[in-house]
Amino acid sequence: SCLYTALYTGFKSRQSALAAIEPTSQALNAIELLKQDIYGVLPPTGVLAGPFVGSNSRSSKGAAADTIEFHTTQVYGSTGRPTGGIGKVVLALEDDDRSRNPVGYRLVRRVTTNLLSPRSVDPDEQVLCRNVMSLNLRYFDGDRWLDEWDSTADANSLPKAVEIDIELANNIRISNGSIEKRRLVQSFTVPCGLSAQPAEESTESTSASAGGGTGGAAGGMTTQPGGQTGR
């Protein structure tokens, strides 16, 4: 009887500990996956590339529910076997009918790998974690953090860093009936060189280099003696 009581107490403690760390563990895995996606992000131009768009939005219940969309060169898990190559990734929150928390969401990652298909292709959907209370994403432009990012409106440039702020509902409830929340915040940089210059600056540098001499300028303009300018 004494042994049974000790084992029962130990097993209950283990189950409580696993239930307490499970949401945090799932969120850390989701953050690490997004981090790897960001490390493989592609510039927003090219045949197999698209815009980098981060939207600042809220759910129907008033929680922060940001979305992010970009193209990357990572390996994606699917229902069959892992596939590699270039793909489009979309990260978003969705209502979760299976959530234990009535205001909880699920964090979903949608991956589209067949970017050249003439027909519309359904993305491969992966549920990264559940019981998510909010998802807030921010983007660093070199001077300040922004709540939104649209590469199509910013000379096809990428942010220098991305910050993910995710809040989870713990499986354990506090004695007064409220839900215990855990917040995880992590930021990581975009690979060097991808976010360095807008398209106009890159074009100007290329044209200047093509001029050959020290008098070369963007667009083939050269400065003549006496202050005159000619082509």
Side-chain angles (χ1 to χ4, degrees), residues 96-163:
D96 190 3
D97 297 333
R98 295 174 49 189
S99 175
R100 302 176 184 177
N101 182 0
V103 294
Y105 304 90
R106 62 178 184 175
L107 181 59
V108 177
R109 176 175 178 260
R110 302 187 187 95
V111 180
T112 304
T113 55
N114 190 0
L115 301 178
L116 296 179
S117 175
R119 300 180 180 179
S120 178
V121 179
D122 294 331
D124 182 16
E125 186 173 289
Q126 306 165 357
V127 179
L128 301 184
C129 60
R130 301 182 183 272
N131 296 323
V132 180
M133 302 291 293
S134 65
L135 176 67
N136 188 30
L137 298 166
R138 296 197 304 166
Y139 313 92
F140 188 64
D141 64 353
D143 296 321
R144 57 197 177 105
W145 287 96
L146 306 174
D147 293 328
E148 294 182 321
W149 191 277
D150 188 355
S151 62
T152 61
D154 192 20
N156 287 326
S157 63
L158 293 174
K160 296 184 180 297
V162 178
E163 179 189 82

Side-chain angles (χ1 to χ4, degrees), residues 56-91:
N56 183 29
S57 58
R58 290 194 170 271
S59 66
S60 58
K61 302 173 185 176
D66 294 354
T67 61
I68 184 173
E69 173 185 333
F70 56 92
H71 286 63
T72 184
T73 58
Q74 291 299 313
V75 175
Y76 315 96
S78 62
T79 54
R81 56 182 180 178
T83 58
I86 299 175
K88 182 176 76 172
V89 172
V90 178
L91 197 71

